[in-house]
Amino acid sequence: MAASQKPSPVDPTPASGTLPDSPGTGGETHQTAGGKSPVLTTQQGAPVADDQNTLRAGPRGPALLEDFHFREKLFHFDHERIPERVVHARGFGAHGYFENYKPLTDLTRADLFQRAGEQTPVFVRFSTVAGNKGSADMARDVRGFAVKFYTKEGNWDLVGNNMPVFFIQDPMKFPDMVHAFKDEPDRGFPQAATAHDNAWDFISLTPEAMHMVMWVMSDRAIPRSFRFMEGFGVHTFRLVTAQGKSTYVKFHWKPKLGLQSVVWNEAVKINGADPDFHRRDLWDAIQTGDFPEWELGLQLFDDAFADEFEFDVLDPTKMIPEEQVPVQIVGKLVLNRTVDNFFAETEQVAFCTQNVVPGVDFTNDPLLQGRNFSYLDTQLKRLGGPNFTHIPINAPKCPVMNFQQDGHMAVRNPKGRVNYEPNSWADAPGPRESPTAGYRTFPEPINTPKQRVRSETFADHYSQARQFYVSQTPLEQQHIANALTFELSKVQTLAIRVRMVSHLLNIDAALADTVAKGLRLKDMPAAAAAAKPTRADLKPSPKLSIVKNGPASFKGRKVGALVTDGVDAGVLAALRKVLKAEGAVLKLIAPEVGGVKDSAGTWHDADEKLEGGPSVLFDAVAVLPSKGGADVLTQLPAARDFVADARAHRKFIGYAAAATPLFEKAGAGDGIDEGFLPLNKPGDADAFVAACRKLRFWDRAGAER
Ligand code: HDD
């Protein structure tokens, strides 16, 4: 059987396509139940005759060691797993491009920013931090927002988060922080949660964490979708021009669809109803052509600003309010392609903060400097050797020319005799460095003693925590207090709870009071000793609130319509039409997954059976039973929960008049407020969808569940 050039069915990276095709089995096919299939082979390409039975001595005899197909199959299976990331293990990636709006030649020589309209391929991986690979998406946690730009002058990795600050100032503390946050070592739980003693013990002994704590206890830590959250490069970086001029920069990603989060009770229920909520959302959006977009924003400043700013721009626990240094939009990021293979791309992608390109440089932020060591180091363990840059998802899309060679799994091997420089091989000397085209580090003068110290300028731990808190709407402040109360209520050691409240007193007295009451502390502790007093004069920054920075439309959001047989055909059609025009999605939820027949006798397949499609999975709901259908729904606990949760989570609820008995049964009967909108005739759909643009009816009376 002759080998052919066609790719074999096991070609690991069809999309990236930089690996040589495996020879396969000559493209021979077999007729099978599912149509024509290529012939199954071993990894060595030998065709397989029987993949159902091991080779054995007689039908009931022992297995034979000679069975190379079985041994190879099991050997490969036994080695399928690679170590999961020590943090950010659970992630989801997608391909896309970055489009530069205008030349930034005055700011940076980075090639991707030189020409208007130029598109640079990117791969983005979103993640949670603490949970393992199989944990649920909606954990209260920071979200990773890592972007790999495949530029013409090498890969640039902007490895950010959805929060602009971090817990610690010095990378020496990173292993302690991560140990404390993850599951406790003796018991192996809790999973993907900081609501336990070790986490809060560490936090309460680390005052520099207080600003980040405010962010993580806010609704930023339970985003509705990756598509509706911001991203931040966190550290101050440098942009450097061809002439060597440096400008400080903070990188921002702004979601085109505005910000949105869920409420905590929803988050808890989403984790049960759909642990893959975020990855499914991103997958569905890209697969249906609703490509998520973010704009890249730059906060630019110079040494003069850095000197006069209230905080040290090298301190990663501080941010620069947008009101102080506006964010300038310079380009957009579009995610338009899901991966072909999760392992090959999302799992094997290796982000390294040290991956910068000419025109982008580091600053002396100590955390950034520490990260530059850690990321390269971790890939060696995770991906098994120094050649992880040969894996297609990590390989630059520009020429790679150097004399590094060999090592495990070397795929990109140079030809010829020369593997060093300088050399005197005139005919093929190989690559040489270029002082003009090459990367040049910004020559920042350094004249300072070597020492292990924390800069005095990093000492104010509470002022920006307060600024974040006072920038929130009252409802968002309540959510922060609730989150702190919940997390600390899971802490079994009273002294830790008390210590945390003593820090909160330095942030906001009312917040400390609410949490202390929520925990029922017998006595209010004294405020924690602070190296610097909290500044109450920092102006609130409206950009820090999610509610104040919501979307302009209901685009990209989902309505779950609970329907029964006899649902009004005209209303359903109108709702579908108006939502489509808005760029939103309608999902039908029915008592049975098969679907329902509408009032005109038309059949509609259901997207979810009621029990599998609770209202927590949607941004707004419509409750559209027929009269007879309402009698059925009132008997179903899941229908009552559907309504009760939607109401408690302050969602907009469109409803047919026939739904009223269900509302009563769900305990929502006398609470029909302006967030409930009638959907009795086709013309009602416009008003309902217009209301949904506000996302939630925050004014609804009564506490959230
Ligand atoms: Fe980190 C992964 C973001 C501080 C060490 N980090 C990782 C990822 C993101 C971040 C998004 C996942 C990348 C992916 O999807 O593969 N990390 C941050 C941010 C930080 C930060 C925004 C602070 C500003 N990290 C940080 C410190 C250290 C690390 C201080 C160590 C000194 N981070 C790692 C790591 C990881 C990682 C251990 C785990 C897997 C990986 O790198 O590739 O090296």
Side-chain angles (χ1 to χ4, degrees):
M1 198 168 307
S4 114
Q5 294 311 304
K6 287 190 185 162
S8 88
V10 290
D11 181 355
T13 50
S16 319
T18 55
L19 282 184
D21 293 338
S22 325
T25 58
E28 196 175 298
T29 57
H30 265 315
Q31 191 66 42
T32 60
K36 288 217 184 269
S37 302
V39 171
L40 186 78
T41 74
T42 64
Q43 287 283 29
Q44 304 297 335
V48 171
D50 182 347
D51 194 40
Q52 318 302 320
N53 302 292
T54 47
L55 189 68
R56 59 188 79 148
R60 302 180 61 246
L64 297 178
L65 197 58
E66 178 187 323
D67 189 349
F68 62 86
H69 172 48
F70 168 70
R71 277 188 290 117
E72 181 207 78
K73 188 173 174 182
L74 261 285
F75 151 79
H76 200 278
F77 172 76
D78 289 344
H79 298 276
E80 273 178 10
R81 290 290 167 272
I82 61 172
E84 67 172 34
R85 289 164 173 82
V86 58
V87 282
H88 296 265
R90 183 168 177 83
F92 199 68
H95 297 269
Y97 63 87
F98 169 73
E99 186 176 313
N100 189 45
Y101 287 161
K102 56 176 186 203
L104 300 181
T105 327
D106 291 350
L107 273 175
T108 174
R109 61 164 283 201
D111 186 73
L112 76 164
F113 294 125
Q114 300 306 297
R115 293 158 296 274
E118 177 154 320
Q119 294 185 353
T120 301
V122 299
F123 186 75
V124 178
R125 186 174 178 274
F126 300 105
S127 47
T128 50
V129 181
N132 68 22
K133 221 166 140 270
S135 54
D137 277 351
M138 200 49 101
R140 173 175 293 284
D141 201 351
V142 186
R143 297 300 182 286
F145 193 133
V147 183
K148 189 181 282 292
F149 298 84
Y150 302 91
T151 88
K152 291 181 186 143
E153 290 195 325
N155 288 353
W156 172 33
D157 293 355
L158 187 56
V159 196
N161 279 340
N162 74 331
M163 299 177 190
V165 290
F166 203 64
F167 292 99
I168 48 170
Q169 295 172 326
D170 194 296
M172 183 74 96
K173 298 314 299 167
F174 190 70
D176 297 295
M177 182 201 104
V178 174
H179 288 175
F181 284 8
K182 290 189 81 122
D183 42 302
E184 300 195 0
D186 53 352
R187 59 209 71 186
F189 60 84
Q191 178 56 237
T194 49
H196 59 109
D197 285 55
N198 277 5
W200 286 100
D201 190 30
F202 178 85
I203 291 173
S204 63
L205 295 169
T206 309
E208 73 209 53
M210 292 309 144
H211 185 194
M212 183 66 163
V213 163
M214 287 294 110
W215 284 82
V216 179
M217 292 300 112
S218 81
D219 295 342
R220 297 256 177 178
I222 39 174
R224 154 69 179 81
S225 159
F226 296 137
R227 299 181 292 143
F228 311 147
M229 65 183 201
E230 290 180 307
F232 302 89
V234 181
H235 313 282
T236 299
F237 289 85
R238 286 178 189 278
L239 291 177
V240 185
T241 64
Q243 295 72 37
K245 188 185 86 169
S246 155
T247 309
Y248 292 121
V249 61
K250 293 242 186 213
F251 295 105
H252 294 244
W253 293 111
K254 300 270 182 196
K256 276 276 195 66
L257 295 174
L259 302 184
Q260 185 182 341
S261 285
V262 300
V263 298
W264 175 243
N265 181 265
E266 232 181 330
V268 171
K269 290 173 177 167
I270 288 171
N271 277 341
D274 185 3
D276 305 308
F277 189 66
H278 282 148
R279 49 176 66 187
R280 192 187 307 282
D281 174 89
L282 194 71
W283 174 270
D284 286 350
I286 297 175
Q287 291 279 335
T288 54
D290 184 12
F291 301 140
E293 290 187 16
W294 288 259
E295 287 193 303
L296 178 66
L298 309 179
Q299 276 181 305
L300 300 163
F301 53 97
D302 55 13
D303 280 310
F305 173 85
D307 291 344
E308 82 197 16
F309 184 52
E310 291 92 339
F311 306 97
D312 196 325
V313 299
L314 301 183
D315 175 356
T317 67
K318 306 297 184 302
M319 41 95 55
I320 304 175
E322 289 187 36
E323 291 78 5
Q324 238 163 312
V325 177
V327 171
Q328 302 182 32
I329 300 297
V330 298
K332 71 171 175 182
L333 165 72
V334 179
L335 295 183
N336 59 7
R337 184 160 63 87
T338 51
V339 297
D340 292 313
N341 182 283
F342 186 87
F343 180 82
E345 296 155 72
T346 307
E347 196 56 19
Q348 293 200 119
V349 67
F351 291 95
C352 300
T353 52
Q354 62 157 27
N355 291 353
V356 287
V357 290
V360 179
D361 205 342
F362 313 113
T363 59
N364 296 330
D365 176 337
L367 204 72
L368 176 58
Q369 305 263 327
R371 291 179 75 192
N372 287 346
F373 164 73
S374 186
Y375 289 72
L376 182 62
D377 187 48
T378 204
Q379 311 309 348
L380 197 65
K381 177 79 181 168
R382 218 166 60 75
L383 298 168
N387 288 321
F388 64 86
T389 52
H390 297 200
I391 300 172
I393 193 68
N394 295 321
K397 296 189 195 296
C398 63
V400 174
M401 313 282 281
N402 58 49
F403 296 113
Q404 296 170 28
Q405 67 173 34
D406 303 352
H408 283 295
M409 311 291 171
V411 174
R412 201 180 55 216
N413 299 303
K415 292 191 176 127
R417 185 177 187 179
V418 174
N419 61 353
Y420 60 94
E421 59 89 11
N423 63 66
S424 58
W425 301 105
D427 49 340
R432 287 301 299 268
E433 74 268 36
S434 161
T436 47
Y439 186 93
R440 296 180 79 93
T441 293
F442 179 73
E444 181 182 357
I446 306 280
N447 180 16
T448 178
K450 264 189 215 170
Q451 50 193 166
R452 287 186 194 275
V453 289
R454 193 71 60 92
S455 170
E456 250 303 287
T457 53
F458 282 31
D460 179 344
H461 302 316
Y462 300 104
S463 298
Q464 280 208 341
R466 177 181 173 77
Q467 185 178 34
F468 178 81
Y469 181 73
V470 299
S471 301
Q472 308 299 312
T473 60
L475 180 103
E476 290 171 307
Q477 291 183 338
Q478 185 61 50
H479 286 174
I480 293 173
N482 293 351
L484 282 161
T485 309
F486 172 82
E487 295 260 324
L488 293 171
S489 72
K490 294 279 181 188
V491 169
Q492 290 166 347
T493 310
L494 176 62
I496 298 175
R497 293 185 214 143
V498 172
R499 207 185 300 138
M500 258 323 291
V501 173
S502 74
H503 288 293
L504 298 181
L505 280 165
N506 287 336
I507 297 172
D508 185 86
L511 172 65
D513 193 53
T514 312
V515 175
K517 286 200 175 104
L519 295 169
R520 201 147 182 217
L521 292 192
K522 284 193 205 121
D523 304 301
M524 185 58 111
K532 294 238 169 116
T534 311
R535 294 183 56 161
D537 60 324
L538 301 180
K539 286 207 188 84
S541 162
K543 290 283 181 192
L544 297 178
S545 152
I546 296 172
V547 171
K548 290 179 199 161
N549 294 282
S553 83
F554 197 54
K555 187 170 165 11
R557 272 73 182 179
K558 287 187 194 134
V559 169
L562 180 53
V563 292
T564 65
D565 279 338
V567 52
D568 188 303
V571 168
L572 196 55
L575 188 59
R576 199 183 287 283
K577 193 167 149 225
V578 178
L579 283 170
K580 190 161 181 229
E582 186 81 2
V585 173
L586 177 69
K587 295 278 182 195
L588 295 189
I589 323 297
E592 292 92 21
V593 73
V596 295
K597 212 183 245 184
D598 70 21
S599 58
T602 306
W603 186 266
H604 299 269
D605 293 344
D607 294 291
E608 295 282 0
K609 177 171 166 54
L610 178 52
E611 287 77 3
S615 61
V616 292
L617 300 181
F618 306 102
D619 300 290
V621 298
V623 188
L624 303 175
S626 62
K627 219 165 174 8
D631 295 339
V632 176
L633 292 185
T634 49
Q635 304 307 314
L636 301 177
R640 301 200 291 264
D641 284 351
F642 189 92
V643 170
D645 272 349
R647 180 175 176 275
H649 300 146
R650 299 187 157 117
K651 286 180 180 158
F652 286 100
I653 301 176
Y655 70 107
T660 319
L662 175 63
F663 292 163
E664 270 153 24
K665 201 80 180 178
D670 48 2
I672 294 189
D673 51 38
E674 300 94 275
F676 285 69
L677 292 111
L679 280 175
N680 293 315
K681 49 185 193 311
D684 291 342
D686 289 305
F688 171 62
V689 175
C692 289
R693 290 179 191 142
K694 292 190 213 99
L695 299 182
R696 299 290 166 119
F697 185 64
W698 292 121
D699 293 338
R700 180 164 295 150
E704 277 157 25
R705 303 184 181 226

